Amino acid sequence: MQIVAKDIARTFGSTRALSGVSITLDPGKVHALVGENGAGKSTLLKILAGAEQPDTGSMTLAGEPYAPRSLAEATRRGVRLVFQEITINPSLSVAENIFAGQLARFRRGGLLSQSALRREAQALLDTLSADISVSQPLARLDLGQWKCIEVARALSTGPRAVLFDESTAFLNHREVDRLLAAMQALKAQGLVVAFVSHHLAEIGAVADRLTILKDGRKVGDFEAGELDRDGIQSRMVGRDLSKGLFPPRASRVAGEPVIRFDAVACDGLLPSSLSVRAGEILGIAGLKGAGGERILEVAAGAVQPRAGTLDLGGAPMRARLPADAWNRGVAYVPGERNTEGLIVDASVLDNLVMARPPRRGPFFDRQGARDLANALIRRLLIKTSSEKARTGSLSGGNLQKVVLGKCLATDPRVLLLNNPTRGVDVGARAEIYRSLREAAEAGLAILLASEDLNELIGLSDRIVVMRERRVAAVIDDPAGTTEDIIIRHMT
């Protein structure tokens, strides 16, 4: 079964999301959609899956006209979409999640046949080689396994095509491997498989073909191996990134410690010690639950230590609330930008200045706020029509730049970063890395927790590796290490 889309166009208000895009998806092939945030990748995938409808253009499915008006209609035609967001219901069992909305199939005399339900659910999981048992509690499974359950759910309706919309965005490297293996299993079954990803390593691992989009238009279709990493990146962003994503590290020695943990412990963190110096980017590597995120939360005042001491600038830091940490010069970029870092319905200006609103005497300084917001927009290369634009109208990379700008607007002493480029395209990522290195060179102490090991190696001056809720290793020369070495320390 082949899916063919021709001259697809889609507009949202004044924004042209897609303009005359054509694509062909073949069975038994993995097709990657690549481009910057706002390039139109997800919109195209959602149109193919019935979640959005095109303004113009046409589609065929196995040679027959195809114009689904909903996800349900696309499902009936054999096309399923796996979303970026986790859609697992933790109050249900593994089997019940797989057949959610279809449990009536397993009713026998008015009662749910658990044996039949579990048997068919296990059979679907086994086709993915997911190593998941329907008897396992969901709480004991990682996010990659949850994603595999969502793939099994998609397979439960007997689809001929499965489409993945940035489904690896919130997964760590192990979880990503599970999902990529599931894609390969679907390919082996002869299904159409297409996915959106910002990570070129994922594309190189599984894609047979790729389509590159930029600003809503198709740049081109390419076979696997036809372009190298630099060739893909330059076509995505429209400029040369062959010199690499990461700015050079500072040659000077970092300054005195700005923030220091001495045997700090709390729920989720065993006694751990580390320090971050002025002008230094200290990376934190580790699996989910290993303690890295807890270190950020303690420094941010969101979690209270029950043992050890935390010093800021040589003086004890006792932040009972996040506001206390902000007032002491500790700014935090959280892992979930839309719900924790931004008010998406507020303007770009309001978000940029909310942490420290400019004042003239006791009054809000409107002109000062405009000047500050526009200075940050220029500094961080935030793509927005104006500082008055609704923040939620921005692409993912620009949303993350607004969160970063909000933090930098406070002129902090310490910047805490929780996966700052998650779901961000390569062009915006390079700009964020540049801004962070410039801030460090100006004397800012940066504590960076990331599940992207390549990011940690390329950006950090030192790396602390967490395992089982404590510091397991310190890597003083990230440039001389590899992802495999870090993984060995993590596991």
Side-chain angles (χ1 to χ4, degrees):
M1 181 200 72
Q2 188 182 67
I3 302 176
V4 178
K6 293 183 178 179
D7 299 321
I8 299 297
R10 183 70 168 99
T11 300
F12 297 97
S14 61
T15 301
R16 174 75 86 173
L18 291 170
S19 182
V21 173
S22 299
I23 191 171
T24 298
L25 305 180
D26 290 318
K29 300 290 184 181
V30 179
H31 199 123
L33 300 181
V34 185
E36 293 186 278
N37 292 110
K41 310 177 298 298
S42 292
T43 300
L44 178 57
L45 210 65
K46 289 175 180 176
I47 287 173
L48 295 172
E52 298 281 354
Q53 284 72 51
D55 298 326
T56 58
S58 63
M59 296 186 289
T60 60
L61 182 68
E64 298 293 326
Y66 175 63
R69 305 299 298 177
S70 66
L71 287 167
E73 184 177 345
T75 295
R76 288 193 293 272
R77 297 289 300 273
V79 179
R80 292 297 302 262
L81 178 64
V82 179
F83 288 94
Q84 173 179 341
E85 298 80 9
I86 297 291
T87 59
I88 294 296
N89 185 337
S91 65
L92 300 180
S93 69
V94 170
E96 288 166 344
N97 269 286
I98 290 174
F99 286 102
Q102 305 176 67
L103 294 179
R105 290 172 45 186
F106 302 96
R107 294 200 178 279
R108 306 288 187 269
L111 298 176
L112 185 66
S113 173
Q114 288 288 344
S115 60
L117 173 65
R118 291 159 64 89
R119 184 171 56 252
E120 290 199 29
Q122 189 65 59
L124 288 172
L125 290 170
D126 291 345
T127 65
L128 300 174
S129 302
D131 193 26
I132 300 171
S133 168
V134 292
S135 63
Q136 290 177 275
L138 280 169
R140 295 185 182 176
L141 302 179
D142 62 35
L143 291 182
Q145 291 170 308
W146 282 26
K147 273 295 173 188
C148 288
I149 292 170
E150 293 181 353
V151 177
R153 179 195 297 157
L155 293 179
S156 70
T157 57
R160 295 179 289 174
V162 181
L163 315 179
F164 297 81
D165 184 17
E166 293 193 56
S167 299
T168 64
F170 296 97
L171 309 184
N172 64 31
H173 72 280
R174 278 184 169 178
E175 296 163 352
V176 168
D177 289 344
R178 293 184 192 276
L179 189 58
L180 297 183
M183 291 185 192
Q184 294 280 37
L186 299 180
K187 168 187 169 180
Q189 296 172 40
L191 274 66
V192 171
V193 182
F195 74 107
V196 170
S197 176
H198 291 303
H199 295 282
L200 300 190
E202 297 172 8
I203 293 163
V206 298
D208 299 297
R209 295 173 183 161
L210 64 149
T211 295
I212 300 177
L213 300 178
K214 178 172 174 55
D215 299 328
R217 297 180 181 275
K218 186 168 81 171
V219 175
D221 297 311
F222 304 91
E223 296 296 319
E226 186 175 345
L227 298 176
D228 61 13
R229 177 183 290 264
D230 292 337
I232 296 173
Q233 291 180 162
S234 63
R235 285 167 174 79
M236 284 171 57
V237 304
R239 62 184 186 278
D240 184 12
L241 289 177
S242 60
K243 294 182 180 179
L245 282 177
F246 304 103
R249 292 176 173 86
S251 57
R252 66 181 178 83
V253 177
E256 293 298 315
V258 177
I259 189 167
R260 184 192 300 273
F261 289 71
D262 185 7
V264 170
C266 65
D267 290 340
L269 181 67
L270 296 175
S272 299
S273 300
L274 59 88
S275 64
V276 191
R277 296 169 289 183
E280 179 182 38
I281 300 177
L282 179 66
I284 302 179
L287 300 175
K288 282 185 176 71
E293 198 164 327
R294 267 294 188 260
I295 287 175
L296 295 186
E297 292 170 341
V298 169
V303 172
Q304 304 304 309
R306 52 178 169 76
T309 58
L310 176 63
D311 290 344
L312 181 66
M317 179 180 170
R318 299 182 181 89
R320 298 185 179 280
L321 296 169
D324 298 333
W326 281 89
N327 290 334
R328 292 286 302 276
V330 179
Y332 182 33
V333 175
E336 181 49 64
R337 58 177 172 256
N338 285 1
T339 58
E340 298 178 0
L342 295 168
I343 301 175
V344 293
D345 288 328
S347 70
V348 173
L349 181 151
D350 289 338
N351 275 286
L352 285 171
V353 307
M354 70 167 64
R356 185 173 294 174
R359 297 194 175 278
R360 180 172 294 176
F363 303 107
F364 178 65
D365 183 355
R366 294 187 179 279
Q367 186 58 50
R370 282 193 291 269
D371 292 343
L372 175 59
N374 282 302
L376 289 165
I377 288 170
R378 291 191 297 269
R379 175 181 174 183
L380 299 175
L381 303 178
I382 299 171
K383 295 178 183 177
T384 178
S385 56
S386 82
E387 77 280 4
K388 299 177 183 178
R390 177 180 172 272
T391 302
S393 68
L394 273 58
S395 68
N398 287 294
L399 288 172
Q400 193 70 351
K401 291 179 188 179
V402 173
V403 181
L404 178 59
K406 178 187 74 173
C407 292
L408 296 178
T410 66
D411 193 22
R413 303 165 70 185
V414 178
L415 178 63
L416 311 173
L417 302 166
N418 186 346
N419 288 286
T421 62
R422 178 186 280 159
V424 173
D425 67 72
V426 65
R429 206 178 304 152
E431 292 161 0
I432 290 172
Y433 295 155
R434 172 191 57 79
S435 298
L436 294 176
R437 180 53 66 186
E438 288 176 355
E441 290 180 351
L444 184 61
I446 298 177
L447 191 53
L448 163 68
S450 177
E451 293 161 3
D452 186 335
L453 300 185
N454 184 54
E455 176 173 273
L456 289 174
I457 292 170
L459 196 59
S460 305
D461 297 302
R462 291 185 299 136
I463 298 174
V464 169
V465 184
M466 305 296 296
R467 185 179 68 234
E468 296 178 352
R469 299 178 292 155
R470 66 168 76 242
V471 175
V474 177
I475 298 172
D476 291 318
D477 180 22
T481 194
T482 66
E483 292 190 18
D484 287 341
I485 291 173
I486 296 176
I487 290 171
R488 282 202 294 272
H489 287 304
M490 288 165 51
T491 58

